[in-house]
Amino acid sequence: MTAPTAARRPHTATYHGIALNDPYAWLKDPSYPEVKDADVLAYVEAENAHFEAWMAPHAPLVDALFTEMRGRMKEDDASVPVRDGDWLYWWAFETGGQYRRWFRKPVVGGDEVLILSEPALAEGHEYFRLGGLAVSPDGGRLAYAVDDNGSERFTLRVRDLATHEDGPVISVETLGSPVWAADGASLAWVEVNAEWRPWRVRLHRLGNAGEDAVLYAEDDASFFVGIDRTQDRQFLTIVAADHVTSEVRLVPIGDLAAPPRLVSKRQAGRMYDVDSGQGTLFVRVNDTHRNFRVCTAWPENPGEWHELIAGSDQVYIRDLTALRDWLVLGERVNGLDQLRIRAVDGTEHRIALPEASYTVSLGENPEYAPEMVRVYYQSMVTPPTVFDYEVKTRVLTTRKVQQIPSGYDPALYETQRLHIVARDGTPIPVSLVRRRDAVRGKLHLYGYGAYGLAIPPGFSTSRLSLVDRGVAFAIAHIRGGDDLGYQWYLDGKLEKRGNTYTDFVDVARGLAAAGYAAEGEISASGGSAGGNLMGVVLNTDPSLWRAVVAHVPFVDMLNTMLDASLPLTPIEWPEWGDPITDESAFRRILSFSPYENVRAQAYPPLLVTAGLNDPRVTYWEPAKWVAKLRATRTNDAPLLLKTNMGAGHGGKSGRFESLREVAEEYAFVLAAFGLSTAA
């Protein structure tokens, strides 16, 4: 199994007086997003062949893991029907099916009807993903969008639900869900440009063969545009935002051609969002407190805000939904999710939940005046559960618990919430699950730590294949996420980005000191920004890890942040810094960028994944990183790169194909631990 060797071609660029030598820059195909350079494709395919050759002896283990994981999956699974107007909607899988089929039936009498078949749409495509899905207010039409190559450029169509015939393609350059006008004769949709930036909102009138009118266009390349509909269905919301600043405009659903009304002009560092209900606008904003407060405003004067709920150091307000009778607040208190119900008269309570550590969120609640509130719940030992919550009686009714056909006994497992003190004295939360009868000694640690995205302590049937083999699984809730509030996010970005990396290392060392596994007996994984985390800790502390898996890793970050033509670069500057105009940001990113900091040292076994059509982390980032690691490291531990040639950021589509990729990842980890038998 001779590993491929990438050619080194001289390439130097100078910024702020510092020369960057990049001998693998040629791996970026100049025709991207098309990839057709023969040398690039040859190298990527050689790496794939090397991956397949290395995995071949482990095929029995991969097959065993896949069989286990599939056995825990209810093949004819279906969602709990949800009411929207006169209809009940749900999805279902057929046994053996990779993709969902979508159904509805009248609330009062009538038969179920198939309104959309993902398997039919996916036929003949290596990749398939359903994007937007929206039924017109009168129930007569379905707008839907699909991506069949992983590029996240979706094709939008409208289907007549009486004839089941599709109209002409509206756009092949859209993203997100469309929003219907009240009369069902037109719909708003978001257009992406050549750089994959969602930047314009267009209005399509059914039957109009001409160019769709532009409702809004965002000229700032660092802002992305999205649309939604308020809960009371009174307004289309147009949101322009980067990672730290947002701006909202409102358009009446009854007249989508009306000029958008600005709620409040963008202010750097201020995030706000808006919902409408009870004749009022509800605004969640972090202007006076980093953990957000809630204000009200009149639709006629949306920028004049009146505080309803003050910000709090203890309570992080993450989202709100305005129903006719209640305001539902998604919160996090001491790192634990909560749902607060506030009645019109101001009385309020939190939903009582059965475990001490869990994750909970408001479920699908399309109606404005529901009789009950749909809630999603799970923990590291409790499978995903759907509740209906009767607000007046405060009773939770279980509507569905994820079935595990091959069997699952929660009594065999235990979950813990630990705190490991980081080097600067900050306690870092850790969620851990393991078999009660397992002997301590092997541990897998997962991390992300970016963009204010928390990693909740949720359930995974796939994870059981590690845990049942004696490998404890832990999630490090490191700074950079918002696990402990918005300040937790601020403490892991820009000048404080180093906290994210040292937190992860300190958690690993702390768990080792607590006896869960010795240093060097800990595997680790992360994806995207979490892959960036993997790249950094591999460079700084390679001997700490038994094996590492980096999915679509953001590892060539300095070169990416220096290239404003890439789709995500301008919007990323508030997260990482702008190295083009800010020399201090350049030097800071240079100091930890994984690609630039590969050094001559021994690295542990490493599995890296990529997607040739990935618009978020371009394929050449992991390709360049692996090429440099091969040429620089001092040992010959397994170093594998798998590039999905027909997929993007999320890997293969289809529930079984994606499951096989998890089986490959776990086989790699288990082999590193010496647990490479199929049993």
Side-chain angles (χ1 to χ4, degrees):
M1 290 187 292
T2 302
T5 300
R8 295 172 60 89
R9 300 177 184 175
H11 182 278
T12 302
T14 301
Y15 302 89
H16 306 291
I18 299 175
L20 296 180
N21 297 311
D22 189 1
Y24 304 107
W26 65 270
L27 284 168
K28 175 186 175 182
D29 191 323
S31 64
Y32 182 82
E34 289 188 274
V35 184
K36 53 189 179 183
D37 183 279
D39 288 348
V40 170
L41 290 172
Y43 173 70
V44 171
E45 289 167 351
E47 286 285 2
N48 279 349
H50 179 62
F51 168 81
E52 295 294 342
W54 191 92
M55 292 298 299
H58 304 284
L61 177 58
V62 173
D63 290 342
L65 290 167
F66 176 77
T67 300
E68 285 177 18
M69 295 174 185
R70 185 164 178 169
R72 301 187 190 106
M73 181 182 292
K74 189 174 188 296
E75 295 219 4
D76 59 348
D77 198 11
S79 65
V80 179
V82 60
R83 180 171 181 168
D84 189 357
D86 296 331
W87 301 88
L88 292 172
Y89 293 88
W90 71 97
W91 54 258
F93 285 103
E94 292 182 306
T95 299
Q98 294 266 27
Y99 302 100
R100 294 177 172 89
R101 302 164 77 225
W102 296 80
F103 296 88
R104 74 174 183 180
K105 68 177 180 179
V107 172
V108 180
D111 298 326
E112 68 178 47
V113 177
L114 175 68
I115 60 173
L116 191 76
S117 171
E118 290 185 32
L121 294 171
E123 188 173 355
H125 298 288
E126 183 179 346
Y127 178 93
F128 175 83
R129 178 183 168 193
L130 179 66
L133 185 72
V135 177
S136 61
D138 63 2
R141 298 179 179 88
L142 171 70
Y144 70 95
V146 300
D147 169 16
D148 59 16
N149 62 17
S151 67
E152 299 187 48
R153 294 176 183 271
F154 290 81
T155 299
L156 177 63
R157 291 183 173 89
V158 171
R159 172 170 295 182
D160 187 315
L161 291 178
T163 64
H164 294 278
E165 294 182 354
D166 287 344
V169 170
I170 296 172
S171 174
V172 296
E173 300 288 341
T174 188
L175 193 66
S177 293
V179 174
W180 285 96
D183 62 3
S186 59
L187 71 162
W189 57 276
V190 174
E191 179 185 13
V192 297
N193 63 11
E195 288 75 38
W196 189 76
R197 182 173 72 90
W199 74 293
R200 286 201 296 205
V201 180
R202 287 187 175 269
L203 179 63
H204 177 76
R205 298 185 184 280
L206 299 184
N208 177 27
E211 186 176 19
D212 289 352
V214 175
L215 291 182
Y216 175 77
E218 175 56 53
D219 296 326
D220 189 335
S222 67
F223 276 65
F224 280 17
V225 173
I227 60 174
D228 204 346
R229 182 183 65 186
T230 57
Q231 188 70 23
D232 62 2
R233 309 189 185 203
Q234 294 300 304
F235 298 101
L236 164 75
T237 59
I238 300 175
V239 182
D242 60 13
H243 293 300
V244 297
T245 303
S246 65
E247 182 179 74
V248 180
R249 288 170 171 80
L250 302 176
V251 183
I253 287 288
D255 183 13
L256 288 186
R261 175 181 291 181
L262 177 64
V263 173
S264 182
K265 186 177 181 180
R266 67 188 67 171
Q267 297 177 17
R270 185 186 70 170
M271 297 288 293
Y272 75 93
D273 49 63
V274 180
D275 200 4
S276 173
Q278 306 165 20
T280 303
L281 297 180
F282 292 92
V283 182
R284 187 187 72 103
V285 59
N286 65 348
D287 53 354
T288 64
H289 199 287
R290 59 187 176 274
N291 278 342
F292 292 82
R293 63 176 178 146
V294 177
C295 299
T296 60
W298 295 111
E300 297 78 13
N301 189 12
E304 184 178 318
W305 299 343
H306 306 277
E307 185 170 277
L308 179 69
I309 301 173
S312 165
D313 290 340
Q314 289 74 40
V315 180
Y316 174 36
I317 303 173
R318 302 183 61 245
D319 55 68
L320 63 82
T321 302
L323 302 173
R324 185 192 64 186
D325 300 319
W326 313 292
L327 185 67
V328 183
L329 299 170
E331 302 176 331
R332 189 167 291 139
V333 181
N334 295 323
L336 191 64
D337 291 345
Q338 304 280 357
L339 288 176
R340 186 184 353 174
I341 310 291
R342 181 184 176 93
V344 175
D345 63 7
T347 58
E348 57 184 34
H349 68 277
R350 289 197 174 106
I351 298 178
L353 295 162
E355 292 177 281
S357 179
Y358 57 84
T359 178
V360 67
S361 63
L362 191 65
E364 189 177 3
N365 290 273
E367 294 216 306
Y368 173 52
E371 297 179 1
M372 296 186 180
V373 176
R374 180 68 49 85
V375 174
Y376 295 156
Y377 175 92
Q378 59 184 300
S379 76
M380 293 189 84
V381 296
T382 300
T385 302
V386 178
F387 290 123
D388 276 342
Y389 183 65
E390 215 294 316
V391 178
K392 293 180 181 179
T393 62
R394 303 190 183 184
V395 173
L396 282 169
T397 300
T398 302
R399 295 297 308 276
K400 178 184 177 182
V401 178
Q402 179 180 334
Q403 295 183 32
I404 303 175
S406 61
Y408 170 70
D409 182 359
L412 297 176
Y413 307 89
E414 65 174 353
T415 182
Q416 297 172 275
R417 182 79 164 183
L418 309 169
H419 287 86
I420 303 296
V421 178
R423 63 193 67 181
D424 67 355
T426 303
I428 310 300
V430 180
S431 298
L432 184 142
V433 63
R434 64 191 185 105
R435 289 271 305 205
R436 294 184 184 275
D437 58 357
V439 177
R440 291 189 182 191
K442 295 178 176 62
L443 172 70
H444 186 84
L445 185 61
Y446 179 84
Y448 186 76
Y451 304 114
L453 298 177
I455 304 300
F459 188 79
S460 167
T461 56
S462 299
R463 184 194 300 150
L464 296 174
S465 290
L466 285 182
V467 176
D468 284 347
R469 287 170 170 79
V471 181
F473 190 101
I475 300 169
H477 302 287
I478 51 183
R479 284 173 282 188
D482 68 352
D483 306 71
L484 294 185
Y486 199 75
Q487 187 63 48
W488 201 249
Y489 165 48
L490 298 178
D491 287 342
K493 61 179 296 191
L494 295 174
E495 293 83 1
K496 298 182 178 181
R497 181 63 190 171
N499 288 335
T500 302
Y501 308 130
T502 56
D503 283 356
F504 193 79
V505 170
D506 293 346
V507 165
R509 295 194 188 282
L511 291 172
Y516 288 95
E519 295 188 16
E521 292 297 321
I522 302 171
S523 59
S525 66
S528 196
N532 169 270
L533 170 67
M534 296 300 105
V536 172
V537 301
L538 274 167
N539 286 333
T540 61
D541 296 87
S543 64
L544 187 56
W545 316 108
R546 182 74 172 195
V548 171
V549 179
H551 291 294
V552 289
F554 179 38
V555 284
D556 190 22
M557 60 185 305
L558 182 57
N559 286 312
T560 293
M561 290 295 96
L562 287 166
D563 187 351
S565 70
L566 292 174
L568 285 178
T569 292
I571 200 174
E572 297 290 340
W573 287 331
E575 180 76 16
W576 310 94
D578 176 3
I580 298 175
T581 61
D582 183 350
E583 182 177 348
S584 64
F586 176 89
R587 292 181 179 273
R588 182 176 65 251
I589 297 172
L590 177 61
S591 72
F592 56 70
S593 180
Y595 179 65
E596 275 74 25
N597 287 279
V598 169
R599 62 196 68 169
Q601 61 183 357
Y603 283 86
L606 174 62
L607 168 61
V608 183
T609 67
L612 198 68
N613 299 328
D614 188 348
R616 298 175 184 265
V617 176
T618 49
Y619 75 89
W620 62 80
E621 292 207 29
K624 289 171 60 178
W625 183 46
V626 168
K628 190 171 184 179
L629 282 165
R630 284 203 197 286
T632 309
R633 63 180 184 158
T634 60
N635 65 329
D636 60 354
L639 175 55
L640 309 177
L641 171 62
K642 177 186 178 181
T643 301
N644 280 308
M645 305 301 284
H649 198 63
K652 290 186 177 180
S653 62
R655 55 177 178 161
F656 302 133
E657 288 301 311
S658 59
L659 204 62
R660 183 164 289 279
E661 292 197 318
V662 178
E664 290 172 343
E665 173 189 352
Y666 285 4
F668 178 81
V669 170
L670 291 168
F673 278 125
L675 302 172
S676 56
T677 62

